[in-house]
mmCIF file with all atom_site columns, all heavy atoms in Angstrom:
data_model
loop_
_atom_site.group_PDB
_atom_site.id
_atom_site.type_symbol
_atom_site.label_atom_id
_atom_site.label_alt_id
_atom_site.label_comp_id
_atom_site.label_asym_id
_atom_site.label_entity_id
_atom_site.label_seq_id
_atom_site.pdbx_PDB_ins_code
_atom_site.Cartn_x
_atom_site.Cartn_y
_atom_site.Cartn_z
_atom_site.occupancy
_atom_site.B_iso_or_equiv
_atom_site.pdbx_formal_charge
_atom_site.auth_seq_id
_atom_site.auth_comp_id
_atom_site.auth_asym_id
_atom_site.auth_atom_id
_atom_site.pdbx_PDB_model_num
ATOM 1   N N   . VAL G 1 30 ? -4.130 20.449 5.609  1.00 88.00 ? 1266 VAL G N   1
ATOM 2   C CA  . VAL G 1 30 ? -4.113 19.257 4.675  1.00 88.00 ? 1266 VAL G CA  1
ATOM 3   C C   . VAL G 1 30 ? -2.731 19.114 4.103  1.00 88.00 ? 1266 VAL G C   1
ATOM 4   O O   . VAL G 1 30 ? -2.040 17.991 4.267  1.00 88.00 ? 1266 VAL G O   1
ATOM 5   C CB  . VAL G 1 30 ? -5.089 19.436 3.493  1.00 88.00 ? 1266 VAL G CB  1
ATOM 6   C CG1 . VAL G 1 30 ? -5.006 18.304 2.605  1.00 88.00 ? 1266 VAL G CG1 1
ATOM 7   C CG2 . VAL G 1 30 ? -6.523 19.518 4.076  1.00 88.00 ? 1266 VAL G CG2 1
ATOM 8   N N   . PRO G 1 31 ? -2.069 20.196 3.486  1.00 89.00 ? 1267 PRO G N   1
ATOM 9   C CA  . PRO G 1 31 ? -0.721 19.972 3.005  1.00 89.00 ? 1267 PRO G CA  1
ATOM 10  C C   . PRO G 1 31 ? 0.263  19.717 4.045  1.00 89.00 ? 1267 PRO G C   1
ATOM 11  O O   . PRO G 1 31 ? 1.291  19.048 3.845  1.00 89.00 ? 1267 PRO G O   1
ATOM 12  C CB  . PRO G 1 31 ? -0.394 21.244 2.168  1.00 89.00 ? 1267 PRO G CB  1
ATOM 13  C CG  . PRO G 1 31 ? -1.379 22.183 2.696  1.00 89.00 ? 1267 PRO G CG  1
ATOM 14  C CD  . PRO G 1 31 ? -2.535 21.428 3.098  1.00 89.00 ? 1267 PRO G CD  1
ATOM 15  N N   . ALA G 1 32 ? 0.084  20.291 5.237  1.00 89.00 ? 1268 ALA G N   1
ATOM 16  C CA  . ALA G 1 32 ? 0.979  20.060 6.388  1.00 89.00 ? 1268 ALA G CA  1
ATOM 17  C C   . ALA G 1 32 ? 0.892  18.613 6.764  1.00 89.00 ? 1268 ALA G C   1
ATOM 18  O O   . ALA G 1 32 ? 1.998  17.960 7.050  1.00 89.00 ? 1268 ALA G O   1
ATOM 19  C CB  . ALA G 1 32 ? 0.600  20.987 7.477  1.00 89.00 ? 1268 ALA G CB  1
ATOM 20  N N   . GLY G 1 33 ? -0.306 18.046 6.734  1.00 87.00 ? 1269 GLY G N   1
ATOM 21  C CA  . GLY G 1 33 ? -0.428 16.595 7.032  1.00 87.00 ? 1269 GLY G CA  1
ATOM 22  C C   . GLY G 1 33 ? 0.180  15.698 6.064  1.00 87.00 ? 1269 GLY G C   1
ATOM 23  O O   . GLY G 1 33 ? 0.893  14.731 6.427  1.00 87.00 ? 1269 GLY G O   1
ATOM 24  N N   . ILE G 1 34 ? 0.103  16.094 4.762  1.00 87.00 ? 1270 ILE G N   1
ATOM 25  C CA  . ILE G 1 34 ? 0.791  15.325 3.756  1.00 87.00 ? 1270 ILE G CA  1
ATOM 26  C C   . ILE G 1 34 ? 2.309  15.360 3.917  1.00 87.00 ? 1270 ILE G C   1
ATOM 27  O O   . ILE G 1 34 ? 3.004  14.422 3.726  1.00 87.00 ? 1270 ILE G O   1
ATOM 28  C CB  . ILE G 1 34 ? 0.341  15.826 2.327  1.00 87.00 ? 1270 ILE G CB  1
ATOM 29  C CG1 . ILE G 1 34 ? -1.087 15.605 2.209  1.00 87.00 ? 1270 ILE G CG1 1
ATOM 30  C CG2 . ILE G 1 34 ? 1.124  15.174 1.285  1.00 87.00 ? 1270 ILE G CG2 1
ATOM 31  C CD1 . ILE G 1 34 ? -1.702 16.200 0.862  1.00 87.00 ? 1270 ILE G CD1 1
ATOM 32  N N   . ALA G 1 35 ? 2.783  16.636 4.254  1.00 88.00 ? 1271 ALA G N   1
ATOM 33  C CA  . ALA G 1 35 ? 4.228  16.764 4.509  1.00 88.00 ? 1271 ALA G CA  1
ATOM 34  C C   . ALA G 1 35 ? 4.736  15.857 5.665  1.00 88.00 ? 1271 ALA G C   1
ATOM 35  O O   . ALA G 1 35 ? 5.924  15.642 5.757  1.00 88.00 ? 1271 ALA G O   1
ATOM 36  C CB  . ALA G 1 35 ? 4.673  18.208 4.703  1.00 88.00 ? 1271 ALA G CB  1
ATOM 37  N N   . ALA G 1 36 ? 3.916  15.664 6.661  1.00 88.00 ? 1272 ALA G N   1
ATOM 38  C CA  . ALA G 1 36 ? 4.312  14.894 7.780  1.00 88.00 ? 1272 ALA G CA  1
ATOM 39  C C   . ALA G 1 36 ? 4.259  13.408 7.462  1.00 88.00 ? 1272 ALA G C   1
ATOM 40  O O   . ALA G 1 36 ? 4.617  12.573 8.415  1.00 88.00 ? 1272 ALA G O   1
ATOM 41  C CB  . ALA G 1 36 ? 3.260  15.258 8.994  1.00 88.00 ? 1272 ALA G CB  1
ATOM 42  N N   . PHE G 1 37 ? 3.855  12.931 6.331  1.00 87.00 ? 1273 PHE G N   1
ATOM 43  C CA  . PHE G 1 37 ? 3.803  11.464 6.039  1.00 87.00 ? 1273 PHE G CA  1
ATOM 44  C C   . PHE G 1 37 ? 5.192  10.995 6.099  1.00 87.00 ? 1273 PHE G C   1
ATOM 45  O O   . PHE G 1 37 ? 6.160  11.461 5.593  1.00 87.00 ? 1273 PHE G O   1
ATOM 46  C CB  . PHE G 1 37 ? 3.186  11.327 4.683  1.00 87.00 ? 1273 PHE G CB  1
ATOM 47  C CG  . PHE G 1 37 ? 3.058  9.862  4.353  1.00 87.00 ? 1273 PHE G CG  1
ATOM 48  C CD1 . PHE G 1 37 ? 1.893  9.182  4.742  1.00 87.00 ? 1273 PHE G CD1 1
ATOM 49  C CD2 . PHE G 1 37 ? 3.919  9.147  3.547  1.00 87.00 ? 1273 PHE G CD2 1
ATOM 50  C CE1 . PHE G 1 37 ? 1.725  7.837  4.463  1.00 87.00 ? 1273 PHE G CE1 1
ATOM 51  C CE2 . PHE G 1 37 ? 3.735  7.815  3.226  1.00 87.00 ? 1273 PHE G CE2 1
ATOM 52  C CZ  . PHE G 1 37 ? 2.617  7.231  3.703  1.00 87.00 ? 1273 PHE G CZ  1
ATOM 53  N N   . GLY G 1 38 ? 5.363  9.807  6.729  1.00 86.00 ? 1274 GLY G N   1
ATOM 54  C CA  . GLY G 1 38 ? 6.621  9.193  7.021  1.00 86.00 ? 1274 GLY G CA  1
ATOM 55  C C   . GLY G 1 38 ? 7.192  9.341  8.346  1.00 86.00 ? 1274 GLY G C   1
ATOM 56  O O   . GLY G 1 38 ? 8.161  8.690  8.738  1.00 86.00 ? 1274 GLY G O   1
ATOM 57  N N   . LEU G 1 39 ? 6.407  10.160 9.188  1.00 87.00 ? 1275 LEU G N   1
ATOM 58  C CA  . LEU G 1 39 ? 6.906  10.323 10.630 1.00 87.00 ? 1275 LEU G CA  1
ATOM 59  C C   . LEU G 1 39 ? 6.879  9.076  11.317 1.00 87.00 ? 1275 LEU G C   1
ATOM 60  O O   . LEU G 1 39 ? 7.793  8.763  12.128 1.00 87.00 ? 1275 LEU G O   1
ATOM 61  C CB  . LEU G 1 39 ? 6.058  11.364 11.345 1.00 87.00 ? 1275 LEU G CB  1
ATOM 62  C CG  . LEU G 1 39 ? 6.345  11.678 12.770 1.00 87.00 ? 1275 LEU G CG  1
ATOM 63  C CD1 . LEU G 1 39 ? 7.781  12.172 12.908 1.00 87.00 ? 1275 LEU G CD1 1
ATOM 64  C CD2 . LEU G 1 39 ? 5.295  12.717 13.288 1.00 87.00 ? 1275 LEU G CD2 1
ATOM 65  N N   . LEU G 1 40 ? 5.834  8.192  11.135 1.00 85.00 ? 1276 LEU G N   1
ATOM 66  C CA  . LEU G 1 40 ? 5.707  6.957  11.818 1.00 85.00 ? 1276 LEU G CA  1
ATOM 67  C C   . LEU G 1 40 ? 6.862  6.055  11.468 1.00 85.00 ? 1276 LEU G C   1
ATOM 68  O O   . LEU G 1 40 ? 7.444  5.344  12.384 1.00 85.00 ? 1276 LEU G O   1
ATOM 69  C CB  . LEU G 1 40 ? 4.420  6.304  11.488 1.00 85.00 ? 1276 LEU G CB  1
ATOM 70  C CG  . LEU G 1 40 ? 4.176  4.880  12.135 1.00 85.00 ? 1276 LEU G CG  1
ATOM 71  C CD1 . LEU G 1 40 ? 4.144  4.980  13.729 1.00 85.00 ? 1276 LEU G CD1 1
ATOM 72  C CD2 . LEU G 1 40 ? 2.850  4.234  11.638 1.00 85.00 ? 1276 LEU G CD2 1
ATOM 73  N N   . MET G 1 41 ? 7.329  6.037  10.219 1.00 84.00 ? 1277 MET G N   1
ATOM 74  C CA  . MET G 1 41 ? 8.469  5.184  9.852  1.00 84.00 ? 1277 MET G CA  1
ATOM 75  C C   . MET G 1 41 ? 9.727  5.669  10.555 1.00 84.00 ? 1277 MET G C   1
ATOM 76  O O   . MET G 1 41 ? 10.505 4.894  10.984 1.00 84.00 ? 1277 MET G O   1
ATOM 77  C CB  . MET G 1 41 ? 8.603  5.156  8.368  1.00 84.00 ? 1277 MET G CB  1
ATOM 78  C CG  . MET G 1 41 ? 7.560  4.453  7.557  1.00 84.00 ? 1277 MET G CG  1
ATOM 79  S SD  . MET G 1 41 ? 5.994  5.122  7.492  1.00 84.00 ? 1277 MET G SD  1
ATOM 80  C CE  . MET G 1 41 ? 5.204  4.110  6.188  1.00 84.00 ? 1277 MET G CE  1
ATOM 81  N N   . ASP G 1 42 ? 9.888  7.037  10.592 1.00 85.00 ? 1278 ASP G N   1
ATOM 82  C CA  . ASP G 1 42 ? 11.070 7.485  11.288 1.00 85.00 ? 1278 ASP G CA  1
ATOM 83  C C   . ASP G 1 42 ? 11.093 7.152  12.723 1.00 85.00 ? 1278 ASP G C   1
ATOM 84  O O   . ASP G 1 42 ? 12.134 6.700  13.229 1.00 85.00 ? 1278 ASP G O   1
ATOM 85  C CB  . ASP G 1 42 ? 11.063 9.053  11.142 1.00 85.00 ? 1278 ASP G CB  1
ATOM 86  C CG  . ASP G 1 42 ? 11.199 9.509  9.753  1.00 85.00 ? 1278 ASP G CG  1
ATOM 87  O OD1 . ASP G 1 42 ? 11.767 8.852  8.863  1.00 85.00 ? 1278 ASP G OD1 1
ATOM 88  O OD2 . ASP G 1 42 ? 10.641 10.607 9.409  1.00 85.00 ? 1278 ASP G OD2 1
ATOM 89  N N   . VAL G 1 43 ? 9.905  7.223  13.414 1.00 85.00 ? 1279 VAL G N   1
ATOM 90  C CA  . VAL G 1 43 ? 9.857  6.818  14.868 1.00 85.00 ? 1279 VAL G CA  1
ATOM 91  C C   . VAL G 1 43 ? 10.158 5.346  14.977 1.00 85.00 ? 1279 VAL G C   1
ATOM 92  O O   . VAL G 1 43 ? 10.894 4.955  15.964 1.00 85.00 ? 1279 VAL G O   1
ATOM 93  C CB  . VAL G 1 43 ? 8.450  7.220  15.379 1.00 85.00 ? 1279 VAL G CB  1
ATOM 94  C CG1 . VAL G 1 43 ? 8.248  6.644  16.922 1.00 85.00 ? 1279 VAL G CG1 1
ATOM 95  C CG2 . VAL G 1 43 ? 8.232  8.717  15.413 1.00 85.00 ? 1279 VAL G CG2 1
ATOM 96  N N   . ILE G 1 44 ? 9.750  4.500  14.081 1.00 82.00 ? 1280 ILE G N   1
ATOM 97  C CA  . ILE G 1 44 ? 9.944  3.061  14.227 1.00 82.00 ? 1280 ILE G CA  1
ATOM 98  C C   . ILE G 1 44 ? 11.391 2.728  14.150 1.00 82.00 ? 1280 ILE G C   1
ATOM 99  O O   . ILE G 1 44 ? 12.004 1.963  14.888 1.00 82.00 ? 1280 ILE G O   1
ATOM 100 C CB  . ILE G 1 44 ? 9.011  2.289  13.235 1.00 82.00 ? 1280 ILE G CB  1
ATOM 101 C CG1 . ILE G 1 44 ? 7.546  2.372  13.532 1.00 82.00 ? 1280 ILE G CG1 1
ATOM 102 C CG2 . ILE G 1 44 ? 9.478  0.864  13.171 1.00 82.00 ? 1280 ILE G CG2 1
ATOM 103 C CD1 . ILE G 1 44 ? 6.598  1.742  12.567 1.00 82.00 ? 1280 ILE G CD1 1
ATOM 104 N N   . THR G 1 45 ? 12.001 3.322  13.042 1.00 81.00 ? 1281 THR G N   1
ATOM 105 C CA  . THR G 1 45 ? 13.491 3.076  12.838 1.00 81.00 ? 1281 THR G CA  1
ATOM 106 C C   . THR G 1 45 ? 14.216 3.621  13.987 1.00 81.00 ? 1281 THR G C   1
ATOM 107 O O   . THR G 1 45 ? 15.251 2.831  14.401 1.00 81.00 ? 1281 THR G O   1
ATOM 108 C CB  . THR G 1 45 ? 13.902 3.717  11.565 1.00 81.00 ? 1281 THR G CB  1
ATOM 109 O OG1 . THR G 1 45 ? 13.639 5.074  11.542 1.00 81.00 ? 1281 THR G OG1 1
ATOM 110 C CG2 . THR G 1 45 ? 13.238 3.063  10.321 1.00 81.00 ? 1281 THR G CG2 1
ATOM 111 N N   . LEU G 1 46 ? 13.905 4.646  14.621 1.00 82.00 ? 1282 LEU G N   1
ATOM 112 C CA  . LEU G 1 46 ? 14.710 5.112  15.716 1.00 82.00 ? 1282 LEU G CA  1
ATOM 113 C C   . LEU G 1 46 ? 14.379 4.231  17.006 1.00 82.00 ? 1282 LEU G C   1
ATOM 114 O O   . LEU G 1 46 ? 15.435 4.074  17.839 1.00 82.00 ? 1282 LEU G O   1
ATOM 115 C CB  . LEU G 1 46 ? 14.337 6.547  15.979 1.00 82.00 ? 1282 LEU G CB  1
ATOM 116 C CG  . LEU G 1 46 ? 14.726 7.593  15.041 1.00 82.00 ? 1282 LEU G CG  1
ATOM 117 C CD1 . LEU G 1 46 ? 14.256 8.994  15.335 1.00 82.00 ? 1282 LEU G CD1 1
ATOM 118 C CD2 . LEU G 1 46 ? 16.332 7.584  14.796 1.00 82.00 ? 1282 LEU G CD2 1
ATOM 119 N N   . MET G 1 47 ? 13.155 3.681  17.119 1.00 76.00 ? 1283 MET G N   1
ATOM 120 C CA  . MET G 1 47 ? 12.959 2.829  18.267 1.00 76.00 ? 1283 MET G CA  1
ATOM 121 C C   . MET G 1 47 ? 13.815 1.616  18.188 1.00 76.00 ? 1283 MET G C   1
ATOM 122 O O   . MET G 1 47 ? 14.178 1.048  19.386 1.00 76.00 ? 1283 MET G O   1
ATOM 123 C CB  . MET G 1 47 ? 11.434 2.434  18.249 1.00 76.00 ? 1283 MET G CB  1
ATOM 124 C CG  . MET G 1 47 ? 10.453 3.554  18.703 1.00 76.00 ? 1283 MET G CG  1
ATOM 125 S SD  . MET G 1 47 ? 8.725  2.977  18.549 1.00 76.00 ? 1283 MET G SD  1
ATOM 126 C CE  . MET G 1 47 ? 8.757  1.460  19.439 1.00 76.00 ? 1283 MET G CE  1
ATOM 127 N N   . PHE G 1 48 ? 14.115 1.127  17.068 1.00 74.00 ? 1284 PHE G N   1
ATOM 128 C CA  . PHE G 1 48 ? 14.818 -0.095 16.965 1.00 74.00 ? 1284 PHE G CA  1
ATOM 129 C C   . PHE G 1 48 ? 16.296 0.085  16.638 1.00 74.00 ? 1284 PHE G C   1
ATOM 130 O O   . PHE G 1 48 ? 17.028 -0.755 16.151 1.00 74.00 ? 1284 PHE G O   1
ATOM 131 C CB  . PHE G 1 48 ? 14.211 -1.037 15.935 1.00 74.00 ? 1284 PHE G CB  1
ATOM 132 C CG  . PHE G 1 48 ? 12.937 -1.696 16.371 1.00 74.00 ? 1284 PHE G CG  1
ATOM 133 C CD1 . PHE G 1 48 ? 11.672 -1.127 16.031 1.00 74.00 ? 1284 PHE G CD1 1
ATOM 134 C CD2 . PHE G 1 48 ? 12.870 -2.779 17.250 1.00 74.00 ? 1284 PHE G CD2 1
ATOM 135 C CE1 . PHE G 1 48 ? 10.530 -1.630 16.526 1.00 74.00 ? 1284 PHE G CE1 1
ATOM 136 C CE2 . PHE G 1 48 ? 11.775 -3.305 17.619 1.00 74.00 ? 1284 PHE G CE2 1
ATOM 137 C CZ  . PHE G 1 48 ? 10.536 -2.719 17.294 1.00 74.00 ? 1284 PHE G CZ  1
ATOM 138 N N   . GLY G 1 49 ? 16.769 1.316  16.932 1.00 68.00 ? 1285 GLY G N   1
ATOM 139 C CA  . GLY G 1 49 ? 18.202 1.580  16.805 1.00 68.00 ? 1285 GLY G CA  1
ATOM 140 C C   . GLY G 1 49 ? 18.727 1.801  15.389 1.00 68.00 ? 1285 GLY G C   1
ATOM 141 O O   . GLY G 1 49 ? 19.945 1.717  15.166 1.00 68.00 ? 1285 GLY G O   1
ATOM 142 N N   . GLN G 1 50 ? 17.833 2.027  14.436 1.00 73.00 ? 1286 GLN G N   1
ATOM 143 C CA  . GLN G 1 50 ? 18.305 2.233  13.110 1.00 73.00 ? 1286 GLN G CA  1
ATOM 144 C C   . GLN G 1 50 ? 18.310 3.622  12.735 1.00 73.00 ? 1286 GLN G C   1
ATOM 145 O O   . GLN G 1 50 ? 17.529 4.397  13.341 1.00 73.00 ? 1286 GLN G O   1
ATOM 146 C CB  . GLN G 1 50 ? 17.321 1.465  12.073 1.00 73.00 ? 1286 GLN G CB  1
ATOM 147 C CG  . GLN G 1 50 ? 17.287 0.026  12.197 1.00 73.00 ? 1286 GLN G CG  1
ATOM 148 C CD  . GLN G 1 50 ? 16.302 -0.653 11.342 1.00 73.00 ? 1286 GLN G CD  1
ATOM 149 O OE1 . GLN G 1 50 ? 15.647 -1.636 11.662 1.00 73.00 ? 1286 GLN G OE1 1
ATOM 150 N NE2 . GLN G 1 50 ? 16.237 -0.236 10.079 1.00 73.00 ? 1286 GLN G NE2 1
ATOM 151 N N   . GLY G 1 51 ? 19.160 4.084  11.842 1.00 73.00 ? 1287 GLY G N   1
ATOM 152 C CA  . GLY G 1 51 ? 19.229 5.475  11.443 1.00 73.00 ? 1287 GLY G CA  1
ATOM 153 C C   . GLY G 1 51 ? 18.114 5.764  10.422 1.00 73.00 ? 1287 GLY G C   1
ATOM 154 O O   . GLY G 1 51 ? 17.777 4.891  9.610  1.00 73.00 ? 1287 GLY G O   1
ATOM 155 N N   . VAL G 1 52 ? 17.699 6.973  10.414 1.00 78.00 ? 1288 VAL G N   1
ATOM 156 C CA  . VAL G 1 52 ? 16.647 7.317  9.358  1.00 78.00 ? 1288 VAL G CA  1
ATOM 157 C C   . VAL G 1 52 ? 17.316 7.549  8.042  1.00 78.00 ? 1288 VAL G C   1
ATOM 158 O O   . VAL G 1 52 ? 18.587 7.840  7.982  1.00 78.00 ? 1288 VAL G O   1
ATOM 159 C CB  . VAL G 1 52 ? 15.976 8.661  9.859  1.00 78.00 ? 1288 VAL G CB  1
ATOM 160 C CG1 . VAL G 1 52 ? 15.043 8.492  11.078 1.00 78.00 ? 1288 VAL G CG1 1
ATOM 161 C CG2 . VAL G 1 52 ? 16.936 9.794  10.063 1.00 78.00 ? 1288 VAL G CG2 1
ATOM 162 N N   . ASP G 1 53 ? 16.519 7.429  7.042  1.00 79.00 ? 1289 ASP G N   1
ATOM 163 C CA  . ASP G 1 53 ? 17.203 7.643  5.614  1.00 79.00 ? 1289 ASP G CA  1
ATOM 164 C C   . ASP G 1 53 ? 17.819 8.993  5.500  1.00 79.00 ? 1289 ASP G C   1
ATOM 165 O O   . ASP G 1 53 ? 18.792 9.112  4.816  1.00 79.00 ? 1289 ASP G O   1
ATOM 166 C CB  . ASP G 1 53 ? 16.137 7.347  4.643  1.00 79.00 ? 1289 ASP G CB  1
ATOM 167 C CG  . ASP G 1 53 ? 15.621 5.874  4.655  1.00 79.00 ? 1289 ASP G CG  1
ATOM 168 O OD1 . ASP G 1 53 ? 16.387 5.000  5.112  1.00 79.00 ? 1289 ASP G OD1 1
ATOM 169 O OD2 . ASP G 1 53 ? 14.509 5.642  4.256  1.00 79.00 ? 1289 ASP G OD2 1
#
Side-chain angles (χ1 to χ4, degrees):
V1266 177
I1270 296 175
F1273 185 81
L1275 178 61
L1276 180 62
M1277 284 75 165
D1278 298 331
V1279 173
I1280 290 174
T1281 54
L1282 292 175
M1283 283 175 56
F1284 288 94
Q1286 297 176 220
V1288 295
D1289 294 336

